[in-house]
Amino acid sequence: MKVALFITCLNDTMYPGTGKAVVRLLTRLGHEVEFPQAQTCCGQMHFNTGYRRQALPMVRGFAEAFAGYDAIVTPSASCGAMVRDWHPKLAADSGDRALAARVEALTPKVYELSEFLVDVLGVTDVGAYFPYRVTYHPTCHSLRMLHVADRPLRLLRAVRGIDLVELPEATECCGFGGTFALKNSEVSAAMCADKVTNVRRTGAEALCSADNSCLMHIGGALSRTRSGVRTVHLAEILASTEEDRT
């Protein structure tokens, strides 16, 4: 299977270790992963702020960069949802029929990491080892747009050594929401404070999620309150093995 890594802007710029973890994990499972150098922003920030016309070149660029792959895997439900839900609509509204056709053919091949592992590869035990107490935060885009349901949890439950504990009120938003955190900072901070309180109640050593944007938001509050809880992306847990620690 010819697999492409859609890294996303945030991961590429601030969390490159997450992308490397995806490559290590999929390589361990027997797949060759390519990184299309032409990939850029998916246009989510532009689209969410009302600049639909300015997002269209990024839709076109995505279709060109990822053409020819059997699967496009991303460690971001947020950007994955932008591509799958909104790229077809933006392409259709553009009046460019050729672009709309390319996008319609391409977007079903875009998978958030847990979807790809569980639904396409048919695995939940990826041979991971992570001997820590962990709680999991399901992000809004993963739940409400991509509908990944319990796929990440099924993968985490199969990790050897992990002590996986339930997060109270797990499905409540952390308050990030991209530009929402900037435009409504007080509300966002209050929502994040509630999330941090629930994380600390679990006694977890690490908070896991499938979106680094949410982990960045919650992690900042965890650090400021000196909670001792670190944040770790799902991909990094799944890529970790006992051999790595010996």
Side-chain angles (χ1 to χ4, degrees):
M1 184 180 295
K2 192 176 180 182
V3 180
L5 171 63
F6 168 34
I7 185 63
T8 78
C9 299
L10 182 70
N11 287 319
D12 187 42
T13 306
M14 301 183 68
Y15 300 98
T18 297
K20 293 176 183 178
V22 174
V23 174
R24 287 201 311 275
L25 172 61
L26 296 182
T27 301
R28 191 172 77 225
L29 295 175
H31 299 275
E32 185 177 346
V33 183
E34 296 184 8
F35 182 82
Q37 294 290 328
Q39 63 180 290
T40 61
C41 176
C42 68
Q44 181 181 181
M45 293 290 287
H46 308 71
F47 179 81
N48 288 349
T49 315
Y51 294 96
R52 295 172 67 105
R53 181 171 56 82
Q54 287 80 357
L56 186 61
M58 298 171 203
V59 175
R60 184 172 285 107
F62 187 95
E64 293 171 354
F66 289 97
Y69 290 98
D70 300 312
I72 302 154
V73 180
T74 181
S76 170
S78 176
C79 295
M82 173 65 192
V83 173
R84 286 223 310 248
D85 283 16
W86 291 109
H87 277 201
K89 295 180 177 65
L90 287 170
D93 290 346
S94 72
D96 185 336
R97 293 185 179 181
L99 174 63
R102 290 203 307 273
V103 171
E104 284 289 346
L106 184 69
T107 51
K109 300 177 183 179
V110 176
Y111 299 94
E112 183 271 332
L113 178 63
S114 71
E115 292 180 309
F116 184 69
L117 293 170
V118 176
D119 297 347
V120 179
L121 300 187
V123 297
T124 52
D125 186 346
V126 298
Y129 174 75
F130 197 77
Y132 302 99
R133 187 176 178 89
V134 176
T135 194
Y136 173 73
H137 164 65
T139 66
C140 291
H141 281 90
S142 68
L143 285 178
R144 298 174 177 91
M145 294 185 74
L146 292 187
H147 306 289
V148 302
D150 68 341
R151 292 175 182 84
L153 286 170
R154 288 160 63 186
L155 290 159
L156 287 170
R157 290 180 190 127
V159 173
R160 287 187 291 279
I162 199 169
D163 178 13
L164 186 62
V165 292
E166 184 177 353
L167 178 63
E169 300 180 28
T171 60
E172 293 297 313
C173 178
C174 72
F176 180 61
T179 55
F180 175 84
L182 301 176
K183 296 178 179 179
N184 301 275
S185 58
E186 292 184 2
V187 176
S188 173
M191 295 169 73
C192 189
D194 289 343
K195 182 64 67 173
V196 165
T197 296
N198 286 325
V199 170
R200 298 185 70 163
R201 284 170 58 191
T202 67
E205 299 169 84
L207 170 68
C208 171
S209 186
D211 271 285
N212 273 324
S213 52
C214 296
L215 287 177
M216 177 178 66
H217 185 59
I218 305 168
L222 288 169
S223 177
R224 288 191 296 274
T225 56
R226 303 190 179 187
S227 66
V229 183
R230 64 188 175 109
T231 57
V232 58
H233 192 281
L234 175 67
E236 295 171 68
I237 291 181
L238 297 181
S240 180
T241 64
E242 195 162 1
E243 290 74 19
D244 295 334
R245 300 179 180 279
T246 59

